[in-house]
Structure formats: C-alpha cells, structure tokens
Amino acid sequence: MSEFIGDYKAPRDLLKDKVILVTGAGDGIGRVAAKTFAAHGATVILLGRTTPKLEVVYDEIEKAGGPQPAIFPMDLSDARSETFEQFAEAVEQEFGRLDGLLHNAGLLGQRTPIANYHFGTWEQVMQVNVNAAFGLTKTLLPLLEKSQAGSIVFTGSGVGLKGRAYWGAYSVSKFATEGLMQVLADELDGVSEVRANSINPGATRTNMRAAAYPAENPNTVTTPKDIMPTYLYLMGDDSRGVSGRQFNAQG
C-alpha cells in the first residue's frame, strides 16, 4: 500500500554533511532534487549523460550558496559492471562514503502495443531503468554501509503498480523497480542501517511527461518543486527505520 507524507516540513539543515548521489540530475525532477538536497546542506553528486546540463545545475547550486557539488558524466544506456565499479571507486576516493542514492534517471520508450514494440527500445529502457539501478546499487552498497543512515530511493510509477495498455517497457521496468526495492529492503532488514524505498512522483511537469502526454497543458501539472517534501523525508534522518515502502509524492 502506497503512503503519502506530502505535508512534511524539512528542517533547513536536514541533510547537513550528507553526501547524496542523484542520477538524471541534469533535468526535470533530478535537477530540482539535487538543488533541494543542496539547499538543505547536502554535498550532491550530479550524475547524468549531458555534461553541459550538469554544469548548469552545478552553477545553480554554487550560486545559491550550497556545498560544492561534484559532476560525474555517465551514459547509463551503455554502462556495464566495470563502469559502475570504476564510479564506485571514484566516489570512495573522493568522499569515503555515501549517505543517499536517488535513482531518478529513466527512459520512457515507446507508447505502443506490445505487439508493435521495438526490441531494441525495450532493451534500452530496461537497461537504463532497471539494470543501471541494479548496477549502481550493487557497487555503491558498501559505501552506503559506511553511512550511519544510508538511504536508497527508487523512482516508481502508477503504471508500475497496475499495468496499463501501451505503456510497454516503461510499465514493466517500473514493476521491476518496485521488485528490486522490495527484495533489497528485505535483505537489509535487521542486518544493515541502509534503507530502501520508492517514490511515485505522480503527474509532474517534466519533459518525459510532455512526451507521454503531448496534448496536455503543462500549466495544469504539478511542478517538481511541489513534490520535494517526500524526497527530503526519505533522504533525511526522520525516515530512519522506514524501509521497503512505497510513497506517493502527491496525495
């Protein structure tokens, strides 16, 4: 059963001294989450495939007076085990630990019947939305264990809880994401301080939303900034002990 805590009020220093990785940090929810985490004291690692976009977010964080972030360009669509291992080594060398991991990067793929779905597109969506999340989680888990309260947040979706026609690989990948979160949370229960949860952002004003619903007026859709209370709650210490649960960012 999904939960909603959208009225959460985060203390200004909620994430002070924490190191948090955000994937897909160059745009949409990832960009806003990275800036929000930094505004609450976190040192944010910006991961994405487009360096110029990451540099813009970096500059915005610095201009706002947040802790100096770090940029790690990575194209998750062709990242493999050695890519993730090298990245984990770089994070360990630079920071020594990781306090939070937000799996935000994702691909929409095609909106078409399964019978017409392109095999290559299917593989690419699964690679970015599921395989990359697994690879990063597996290789970064030892660094999260070094935190006093490590938090892993996966990005779910309504179509990952109940299948919907024409959502194809995206829907299936979100079912897999929920499964990955639940399996991980169960494995960590009682043996680790690291927690794993998922957030369904709901209808949010992003480029992915615009691609999925081209006729929709974006001004009628919730902004990424409006859904940040849930992200802050799950990254901060107020959610210690909360694991294996699904959260709706909108009521």
Side-chain angles (χ1 to χ4, degrees):
M1 186 65 119
S2 296
E3 303 177 45
F4 174 65
I5 46 90
D7 57 352
Y8 175 71
K9 298 287 189 287
R12 189 70 179 173
D13 62 349
L14 177 75
L15 304 176
K16 189 177 187 299
D17 298 328
K18 289 187 182 294
V19 180
I20 298 176
L21 168 63
V22 177
T23 72
D27 206 356
I29 293 173
R31 175 181 181 175
V32 174
K35 293 166 62 177
T36 301
F37 294 158
H40 286 79
T43 297
V44 184
I45 303 172
L46 308 169
L47 188 149
R49 66 180 179 179
T50 309
T51 302
K53 287 186 176 182
L54 298 178
E55 289 173 341
V56 169
V57 181
Y58 181 103
D59 290 342
E60 288 174 336
I61 289 173
E62 286 224 307
K63 186 177 180 181
Q68 183 180 26
I71 289 178
F72 279 91
M74 185 188 298
D75 187 348
L76 296 176
S77 66
D78 60 10
R80 296 296 181 263
S81 58
E82 55 271 21
T83 313
F84 302 127
E85 287 163 6
Q86 290 168 3
F87 173 67
E89 289 172 5
V91 173
E92 182 171 29
Q93 186 172 355
E94 182 74 21
F95 300 103
R97 72 175 197 286
L98 191 63
D99 300 293
L101 167 54
L102 172 59
H103 288 297
N104 168 76
L107 288 182
L108 176 64
Q110 295 172 277
R111 291 286 309 280
T112 191
I114 293 293
N116 298 337
Y117 213 96
H118 186 266
F119 196 87
T121 303
W122 184 281
E123 288 186 314
Q124 191 176 41
V125 172
M126 290 300 174
Q127 164 64 22
V128 173
N129 296 5
V130 183
N131 297 345
F134 158 74
L136 284 170
T137 300
K138 172 182 166 60
T139 54
L140 292 170
L141 199 52
L143 292 176
L144 286 154
E145 295 280 5
K146 292 184 178 183
S147 170
Q148 292 184 339
S151 177
I152 305 172
V153 179
F154 294 88
T155 300
S157 170
V159 297
L161 301 175
K162 185 180 189 305
R164 195 179 305 162
Y166 314 127
W167 281 82
Y170 183 80
S171 177
V172 174
S173 75
K174 292 305 179 180
F175 273 96
T177 296
E178 295 293 346
L180 174 57
M181 179 275 286
Q182 292 177 25
V183 169
L184 179 63
D186 203 40
E187 290 174 352
L188 297 173
D189 185 33
V191 300
S192 172
E193 293 298 318
V194 179
R195 58 198 187 277
N197 297 281
S198 68
I199 295 177
N200 172 15
T204 311
R205 196 183 306 170
T206 62
N207 290 335
M208 181 183 288
R209 177 76 185 185
Y213 296 94
E216 184 177 68
N217 179 355
N219 293 324
T220 65
V221 183
T222 301
T223 69
K225 183 179 179 181
D226 292 331
I227 64 173
M228 283 300 114
T230 309
Y231 288 78
L232 286 167
Y233 170 73
L234 288 177
M235 279 301 172
D237 287 348
D238 287 338
S239 62
R240 288 181 74 161
V242 176
S243 193
R245 286 148 69 171
Q246 301 164 334
F247 288 83
N248 285 324
Q250 302 184 47

